[in-house]
Amino acid sequence: MLNEAQLSDRPGRRSRRGRSQSTRSKAPGQNLHLRVPYITRRIPTYDLLNDEALERIEATAERILAEIGIELREDAEAMRLYREAGARVTDVSKDVWNLKFEPGMVREILKTAPARFTQHARNPANNVEIGGDATVFAPSYGSPFVMDLDAGRRYGTIGDFENLVKLAQSSPWLHHSGGTICEPTDVPVNKRHLDMVYAHMRYSDRPFLGSITAPERAADSIEMCRILFGSDFVDRNCVIMGNFNTTSPLVLDGVTTAGIRTYAEAGQGSIHLPFLLGGAVSPLTMAGSVAQCLAKSMASCALTQLVRPGAPAVLAGFLSSMSLRTGSPTFGTPEPALGSLVMGQLARRLKLPLRCAGNFSTSKLPDGQAMQQSMMSMMSAIQGGANFILHSAGFLDGLLSMSYEKFVMDCDMAGALHAYMGGIAVTDDTLGFEALAQNGPGEHLFGTDHTLRHYQTAYWDSALNDDQPFETWDEQGGVDYARRANARWKEILNAYEAPPMDEGTDLALRDFVARKKASMEDAWY
């Protein structure tokens, strides 16, 4: 199976220009684009293809579903649901079925899925909206390794996992705690989901993703939410989501479908992501990959509506190119970026929220390659209208490694994107005629009323960039971007304070985790 392997609200560093905080009401990196629970898009999406091209892609997706079909493995209940909805089911072998869907059938099933929904956080101020003009940034997901400039690359631990949750919670530019930010390999495979979900609940007060690696682990994640939010609240609201990577090409395995059913039965959200590697498990050409992605994600999303109509489902696409010389996946390349733009158009036509792209890179260091590739990929999600952007911070080494330095570098970029997506307001005030008129031609504008009114909020202010003259930068040690990021994540962790949690709730969560762990032997694979 191919799978994809957020300090306070004042995250700024001390000014290098000698300006004390007493003379400046905001810290660098925050500016007064105030922290928001999610971004409300104020710029248009970019529509790459015309209607005729989109219709051809949709028709090909329907052909895939009708003529090739989806292979379903080892989930008789899912097979029954699809068959009763009208799918043509053919036995392939024991507990393996081929599902074919008449054109339009899956789209009809998906009409009950919400175009936009709320995922609730334990702090209601941090609830996020997913869909429509809302965009949510979440950290990267799934890396077995972590790295930093001090200790290098190593297997992730539960300590690393907790650190990364704290970094995400501390960033004003992320909105979501994410899920498996790294694999805590020092905890048994069958028990680590308990520690990961608890870490999200204890060290963050933002929404988060639950476990998907087995249906019983999905159930544990939801049960912990019932302790945190209350059972009645969970039954009426989305408080957790599962990020499901489906097997490519065109396979739904039983572990995945049982997990999808578990989340849907509880009325919780799920993300449906075919991981497509062009030339390996999808056509090399991007139009073909997009058609396959649409077909597969639609079929997977449809299962949620067969289980519980109205359950939140997120259409998703992870489109990747590959080096045909080596067979290695490549990330942050232009062709998948174009594919993400098209996925945005298709999701809007289907009236489903979209997850795609993120800060992707195959670089092994937090360097120029890392940020160039990340920007290529991330901007495709922004321009394409993605609603939930996983992998917004930390992605390095082709997703094999979560980098502490890259994490804060990406958060800084996410801050810039908040300003970018805010667009340009055109009013009598913002047109600034009075700024020019107050002193007239030939006079600077530093002391004008307009400048004094806007200087704290006009521009995004980076927490990491060094914009000083070369000589000043050199005299201060010539510290490069990666080393500034290294110092930055340490400052953030040193200043971190956990959001308050009711002691009784915390005790109940820890008791649940302890009892579940005691009920099973350790399993390391």
Coordinates of all heavy atoms in Angstrom, one line a residue, residues 307-358:
V307 N -23.5 5.0 5.2 CA -23.5 4.6 6.7 C -24.4 5.6 7.4 O -25.2 5.2 8.2 CB -22.1 4.7 7.2 CG1 -22.1 4.5 8.8 CG2 -21.2 3.6 6.6
R308 N -24.2 6.9 7.2 CA -24.9 8.0 7.9 C -25.0 9.2 7.0 O -24.1 10.0 7.0 CB -24.2 8.3 9.2 CG -24.9 9.3 10.1 CD -24.4 9.4 11.5 NE -24.9 10.5 12.3 CZ -24.7 10.6 13.6 NH1 -24.1 9.7 14.3 NH2 -25.2 11.7 14.2
P309 N -26.1 9.3 6.3 CA -26.3 10.5 5.4 C -26.0 11.8 6.2 O -26.6 12.0 7.3 CB -27.7 10.4 4.9 CG -28.0 8.9 5.0 CD -27.3 8.4 6.2
G310 N -25.2 12.7 5.6 CA -24.9 14.0 6.3 C -23.6 13.9 7.1 O -23.2 15.0 7.5
A311 N -23.0 12.8 7.2 CA -21.7 12.7 7.9 C -20.7 13.5 7.1 O -20.7 13.4 5.8 CB -21.2 11.3 8.0
P312 N -19.8 14.3 7.7 CA -18.9 15.1 7.0 C -17.9 14.3 6.2 O -17.3 13.3 6.8 CB -18.2 16.0 8.1 CG -19.1 15.9 9.2 CD -19.8 14.6 9.2
A313 N -17.6 14.6 5.0 CA -16.6 13.9 4.1 C -15.9 14.9 3.3 O -16.5 15.9 2.8 CB -17.3 12.9 3.2
V314 N -14.6 14.8 3.2 CA -13.7 15.7 2.5 C -13.1 15.0 1.3 O -12.4 14.0 1.5 CB -12.6 16.2 3.4 CG1 -11.7 17.2 2.7 CG2 -13.2 16.9 4.7
L315 N -13.4 15.5 0.1 CA -12.7 15.0 -1.1 C -11.2 15.4 -1.0 O -10.9 16.4 -0.4 CB -13.3 15.7 -2.3 CG -13.0 15.1 -3.7 CD1 -13.8 13.9 -3.9 CD2 -13.3 16.2 -4.8
A316 N -10.4 14.5 -1.5 CA -9.0 14.8 -1.3 C -8.1 14.3 -2.5 O -8.5 13.4 -3.2 CB -8.4 14.2 0.0
G317 N -7.0 14.9 -2.6 CA -6.1 14.5 -3.7 C -4.6 14.7 -3.2 O -4.3 15.8 -2.8
F318 N -3.8 13.7 -3.3 CA -2.4 13.7 -3.1 C -1.8 13.3 -4.4 O -1.6 12.1 -4.7 CB -2.0 12.8 -2.0 CG -0.6 13.1 -1.4 CD1 -0.4 13.4 -0.1 CD2 0.5 13.0 -2.3 CE1 0.9 13.7 0.4 CE2 1.8 13.3 -1.8 CZ 2.0 13.6 -0.4
L319 N -1.5 14.3 -5.3 CA -0.9 14.0 -6.6 C 0.6 14.2 -6.5 O 1.1 15.2 -6.1 CB -1.5 15.0 -7.6 CG -3.1 14.9 -7.7 CD1 -3.6 16.1 -8.4 CD2 -3.6 13.6 -8.3
S320 N 1.3 13.2 -7.0 CA 2.8 13.3 -7.0 C 3.4 12.8 -8.3 O 2.9 11.9 -8.9 CB 3.3 12.4 -5.8 OG 4.7 12.4 -5.8
S321 N 4.4 13.5 -8.7 CA 5.2 13.1 -9.8 C 6.3 12.1 -9.3 O 6.4 11.8 -8.2 CB 5.8 14.3 -10.5 OG 6.5 15.1 -9.6
M322 N 7.1 11.7 -10.3 CA 8.2 10.8 -9.9 C 9.4 11.0 -10.8 O 9.2 11.5 -12.0 CB 7.8 9.3 -9.9 CG 7.5 8.7 -11.2 SD 7.0 7.0 -11.1 CE 8.5 6.2 -10.6
S323 N 10.6 10.7 -10.4 CA 11.7 10.7 -11.2 C 11.8 9.4 -12.0 O 11.9 8.4 -11.4 CB 13.0 10.9 -10.4 OG 14.2 10.7 -11.2
L324 N 11.6 9.5 -13.3 CA 11.6 8.3 -14.1 C 13.0 7.7 -14.3 O 13.1 6.6 -14.7 CB 11.0 8.6 -15.5 CG 9.5 9.1 -15.4 CD1 9.0 9.4 -16.8 CD2 8.6 8.1 -14.8
R325 N 14.0 8.4 -13.9 CA 15.4 7.9 -14.0 C 15.6 7.0 -12.8 O 16.4 6.0 -12.9 CB 16.4 9.0 -14.0 CG 16.4 9.8 -15.3 CD 17.6 10.7 -15.4 NE 17.5 11.8 -14.4 CZ 16.8 12.9 -14.5 NH1 16.2 13.1 -15.7 NH2 16.7 13.8 -13.6
T326 N 15.0 7.3 -11.6 CA 15.3 6.6 -10.4 C 14.1 5.9 -9.8 O 14.3 5.0 -9.0 CB 15.9 7.5 -9.3 OG1 14.9 8.5 -8.9 CG2 17.1 8.3 -9.9
G327 N 12.9 6.3 -10.2 CA 11.7 5.7 -9.6 C 11.3 6.3 -8.3 O 10.4 5.9 -7.6
S328 N 12.1 7.4 -7.9 CA 11.8 8.1 -6.6 C 10.6 9.1 -6.8 O 10.5 9.8 -7.8 CB 13.0 8.8 -6.1 OG 14.1 8.0 -5.9
P329 N 9.8 9.2 -5.8 CA 8.7 10.2 -5.8 C 9.4 11.6 -5.7 O 10.4 11.8 -5.1 CB 7.9 10.0 -4.5 CG 8.3 8.6 -4.1 CD 9.6 8.3 -4.6
T330 N 8.8 12.5 -6.4 CA 9.2 13.9 -6.3 C 8.1 14.8 -5.8 O 6.9 14.5 -6.2 CB 9.7 14.4 -7.7 OG1 8.7 14.2 -8.7 CG2 11.0 13.7 -8.2
F331 N 8.4 15.8 -5.0 CA 7.3 16.6 -4.4 C 7.7 18.1 -4.7 O 8.8 18.5 -4.9 CB 7.3 16.4 -2.9 CG 6.8 15.0 -2.5 CD1 7.7 14.0 -2.2 CD2 5.4 14.7 -2.6 CE1 7.3 12.8 -1.8 CE2 5.0 13.4 -2.2 CZ 5.9 12.4 -1.9
G332 N 6.6 18.9 -4.7 CA 6.8 20.3 -5.0 C 7.1 20.6 -6.4 O 7.8 21.6 -6.7
T333 N 6.7 19.8 -7.3 CA 6.9 20.0 -8.8 C 5.7 20.6 -9.4 O 4.6 20.6 -8.9 CB 7.3 18.7 -9.4 OG1 6.3 17.7 -9.1 CG2 8.6 18.1 -8.9
P334 N 5.9 21.2 -10.6 CA 4.8 22.0 -11.2 C 3.5 21.2 -11.6 O 2.4 21.7 -11.5 CB 5.4 22.7 -12.3 CG 6.7 22.0 -12.7 CD 7.1 21.4 -11.4
E335 N 3.7 20.0 -12.2 CA 2.6 19.2 -12.7 C 1.6 18.9 -11.6 O 0.4 19.1 -11.8 CB 3.1 18.0 -13.5 CG 3.9 18.3 -14.7 CD 5.4 18.6 -14.4 OE1 5.8 18.4 -13.2 OE2 6.1 18.9 -15.3
P336 N 2.0 18.3 -10.5 CA 1.0 18.1 -9.4 C 0.3 19.4 -8.9 O -0.8 19.4 -8.5 CB 1.8 17.4 -8.3 CG 2.9 16.7 -9.1 CD 3.3 17.7 -10.2
A337 N 1.1 20.5 -9.0 CA 0.5 21.8 -8.5 C -0.7 22.1 -9.5 O -1.7 22.6 -9.0 CB 1.6 22.9 -8.6
L338 N -0.5 21.9 -10.8 CA -1.5 22.2 -11.7 C -2.7 21.2 -11.4 O -3.9 21.6 -11.5 CB -1.0 22.0 -13.1 CG 0.0 23.0 -13.7 CD1 0.6 22.5 -15.0 CD2 -0.7 24.4 -13.8
G339 N -2.4 20.0 -11.1 CA -3.5 19.0 -10.8 C -4.3 19.4 -9.6 O -5.5 19.3 -9.5
S340 N -3.6 20.1 -8.6 CA -4.3 20.5 -7.4 C -5.3 21.7 -7.8 O -6.4 21.8 -7.2 CB -3.4 21.0 -6.3 OG -2.7 19.9 -5.8
L341 N -4.9 22.5 -8.7 CA -5.8 23.6 -9.2 C -7.1 23.0 -9.8 O -8.2 23.4 -9.5 CB -5.1 24.4 -10.2 CG -3.9 25.3 -9.8 CD1 -3.3 26.0 -11.0 CD2 -4.3 26.3 -8.7
V342 N -6.9 21.9 -10.6 CA -8.0 21.2 -11.2 C -8.9 20.5 -10.1 O -10.1 20.6 -10.2 CB -7.6 20.3 -12.3 CG1 -8.8 19.6 -12.9 CG2 -6.8 21.0 -13.3
M343 N -8.3 19.9 -9.2 CA -9.0 19.3 -8.1 C -9.9 20.3 -7.4 O -11.1 20.0 -7.0 CB -8.1 18.6 -7.1 CG -7.5 17.2 -7.6 SD -8.8 16.0 -8.0 CE -9.6 15.8 -6.4
G344 N -9.4 21.5 -7.2 CA -10.3 22.6 -6.6 C -11.5 22.8 -7.5 O -12.6 23.0 -6.9
Q345 N -11.3 22.9 -8.8 CA -12.5 23.1 -9.6 C -13.5 22.0 -9.5 O -14.7 22.2 -9.4 CB -12.1 23.3 -11.1 CG -11.3 24.6 -11.4 CD -10.9 24.7 -12.8 OE1 -9.8 24.3 -13.2 NE2 -11.8 25.3 -13.6
L346 N -13.0 20.8 -9.5 CA -13.9 19.6 -9.5 C -14.6 19.5 -8.2 O -15.8 19.1 -8.1 CB -13.0 18.3 -9.7 CG -12.4 18.2 -11.2 CD1 -11.4 17.1 -11.2 CD2 -13.5 18.0 -12.2
A347 N -13.9 19.8 -7.1 CA -14.6 19.8 -5.8 C -15.7 20.8 -5.7 O -16.8 20.5 -5.1 CB -13.5 20.0 -4.7
R348 N -15.5 22.0 -6.2 CA -16.5 23.0 -6.2 C -17.7 22.6 -7.0 O -18.9 22.8 -6.6 CB -16.0 24.3 -6.7 CG -15.0 25.0 -5.7 CD -14.7 26.4 -6.0 NE -13.8 26.5 -7.2 CZ -12.5 26.3 -7.2 NH1 -11.9 26.0 -6.1 NH2 -11.8 26.4 -8.3
R349 N -17.5 21.9 -8.2 CA -18.6 21.4 -9.0 C -19.4 20.3 -8.2 O -20.6 20.2 -8.4 CB -18.1 20.9 -10.3 CG -17.6 22.0 -11.2 CD -16.7 21.5 -12.4 NE -17.4 20.6 -13.3 CZ -18.0 21.0 -14.4 NH1 -18.0 22.3 -14.8 NH2 -18.6 20.1 -15.2
L350 N -18.6 19.5 -7.4 CA -19.2 18.4 -6.7 C -19.8 18.9 -5.4 O -20.6 18.2 -4.7 CB -18.2 17.4 -6.4 CG -18.6 16.0 -6.1 CD1 -19.5 15.4 -7.2 CD2 -17.3 15.1 -5.9
K351 N -19.5 20.2 -5.0 CA -20.0 20.7 -3.7 C -19.5 20.0 -2.5 O -20.3 19.7 -1.6 CB -21.5 20.9 -3.7 CG -22.1 21.9 -4.8 CD -23.6 22.0 -4.7 CE -24.1 23.1 -5.7 NZ -23.7 22.9 -7.1
L352 N -18.2 19.6 -2.5 CA -17.6 19.0 -1.4 C -16.4 19.8 -0.9 O -15.7 20.4 -1.8 CB -17.2 17.6 -1.7 CG -18.2 16.5 -1.9 CD1 -17.6 15.2 -2.3 CD2 -19.0 16.3 -0.5
P353 N -16.1 19.8 0.4 CA -14.8 20.4 0.8 C -13.6 19.6 0.2 O -13.8 18.4 -0.1 CB -14.9 20.3 2.3 CG -16.3 20.0 2.7 CD -16.8 19.2 1.5
L354 N -12.5 20.3 0.1 CA -11.3 19.7 -0.5 C -10.1 19.8 0.4 O -9.8 20.8 1.0 CB -11.0 20.4 -1.9 CG -9.7 20.0 -2.6 CD1 -9.8 18.6 -3.1 CD2 -9.4 21.0 -3.7
R355 N -9.4 18.7 0.4 CA -8.0 18.7 1.0 C -7.1 18.4 -0.2 O -7.2 17.4 -0.9 CB -7.9 17.6 2.0 CG -6.4 17.6 2.6 CD -5.9 16.2 3.0 NE -4.5 16.2 2.7 CZ -3.7 15.1 3.0 NH1 -4.2 14.1 3.6 NH2 -2.4 15.2 2.7
C356 N -6.0 19.2 -0.3 CA -5.0 18.8 -1.3 C -3.7 19.6 -1.0 O -3.7 20.6 -0.2 CB -5.4 19.1 -2.7 SG -5.6 20.9 -3.1
A357 N -2.6 19.1 -1.6 CA -1.3 19.8 -1.5 C -0.8 20.2 -0.1 O -1.2 19.6 0.9 CB -1.3 21.0 -2.5
G358 N 0.1 21.2 0.0 CA 0.7 21.5 1.3 C 2.1 21.9 1.0 O 2.6 22.1 -0.1

